[in-house]
Amino acid sequence: MVKAVYPGSFDPVTCGHVDIIRRAARVVDELIIGVLVNSAKQPMFSMDERCSMIEEAVKDISNVKVEAFEGLTVNFAKKHGASVIIRGLRAVTDFENEMQLAQTNHSIDNDIDTLFFTTSLEYAFLSSTIVKEIACYGSDITNLVPDNVAAKLKKKFKDNK
Ligand code: ADP
């Protein structure tokens, strides 16, 4: 039984994240998406909003669940009995930081390994930050985020005007 965690800010979840979730859920038995409480970042969406957007977007995948967490990813993984951390790699620019994170986590806990999925080409440029920027100027984001997230983003920017 292989359990994995997929940690991130998911502010908001994008089609790039969902692609990684779908592919990872096929190779592990159980996948827990960890939505990070990051005091250093001021997120656009609340923790509840971020979690429920992911839950809605992946509700058809039976072996995935979503949970908020704070602190070290390895502790979150241990709490769930997970031995694998899933991360996505978009470009060479992600590589250095991701490698450092993976090595740090492995040195904290030898039993935990990081499994990388390279992004599908159509999402290689995609990040939550880019999506928010495009949405802010009223451009079309329908192919970049799940439908429920697109609706939420549209509402957010309309309400803020
Ligand atoms: P963080 O704040 O930890 O970078 P993110 O929510 O931005 O969290 O991303 C979580 C994980 O998803 C990271 O491993 C990141 O590289 C990966 N990821 C983000 N966007 C994409 C994408 N478009 N394709 C594949 N992986 C992605």
Side-chain angles (χ1 to χ4, degrees):
M1 170 94 180
V2 179
K3 269 194 190 183
V5 295
Y6 178 33
S9 310
F10 305 104
D11 185 38
V13 66
T14 69
C15 289
H17 294 128
V18 173
D19 175 58
I20 301 290
I21 294 167
R22 286 193 187 287
R23 288 158 59 201
R26 283 204 292 262
V27 300
V28 301
D29 297 295
E30 194 180 335
L31 179 63
I32 302 129
I33 303 170
V35 185
L36 188 63
V37 179
N38 187 345
S39 48
K41 279 189 194 171
Q42 181 56 47
M44 167 175 274
F45 291 100
S46 69
M47 179 52 76
D48 279 355
E49 285 175 311
R50 282 182 280 154
C51 287
S52 57
M53 280 188 280
I54 304 171
E55 275 163 0
E56 173 69 21
V58 301
K59 64 179 179 208
D60 60 309
I61 318 174
S62 60
N63 60 339
V64 170
K65 60 181 188 186
V66 182
E67 204 180 295
F69 83 101
E70 199 166 2
L72 292 176
T73 303
V74 283
N75 291 343
F76 179 63
K78 260 209 249 174
K79 180 185 146 200
H80 286 283
S83 55
V84 175
I85 296 172
I86 303 289
R87 294 290 284 177
L89 278 179
R90 279 164 291 193
V92 185
T93 42
D94 278 344
F95 185 79
E96 207 171 315
N97 185 42
E98 290 294 341
M99 193 168 82
Q100 193 179 23
L101 269 177
Q103 286 169 338
T104 305
N105 287 333
H106 189 67
S107 76
I108 296 172
D109 189 332
N110 259 312
D111 295 331
I112 293 185
D113 270 301
T114 302
L115 183 59
F116 291 104
F117 284 80
T118 51
T119 179
S120 296
L121 273 182
E122 68 259 49
Y123 305 129
F125 66 94
L126 195 53
S127 69
S128 300
T129 306
I130 280 182
V131 163
K132 283 181 278 191
E133 226 164 280
I134 297 172
C136 162
Y137 293 108
S139 281
D140 189 23
I141 44 163
T142 41
N143 292 325
L144 308 180
V145 289
D147 291 347
N148 62 311
V149 177
K152 254 325 225 174
L153 272 166
K154 269 187 206 145
K155 187 170 180 319
K156 191 89 151 180
F157 284 110
K158 219 162 88 194
D159 289 351
N160 286 348
K161 270 185 188 155

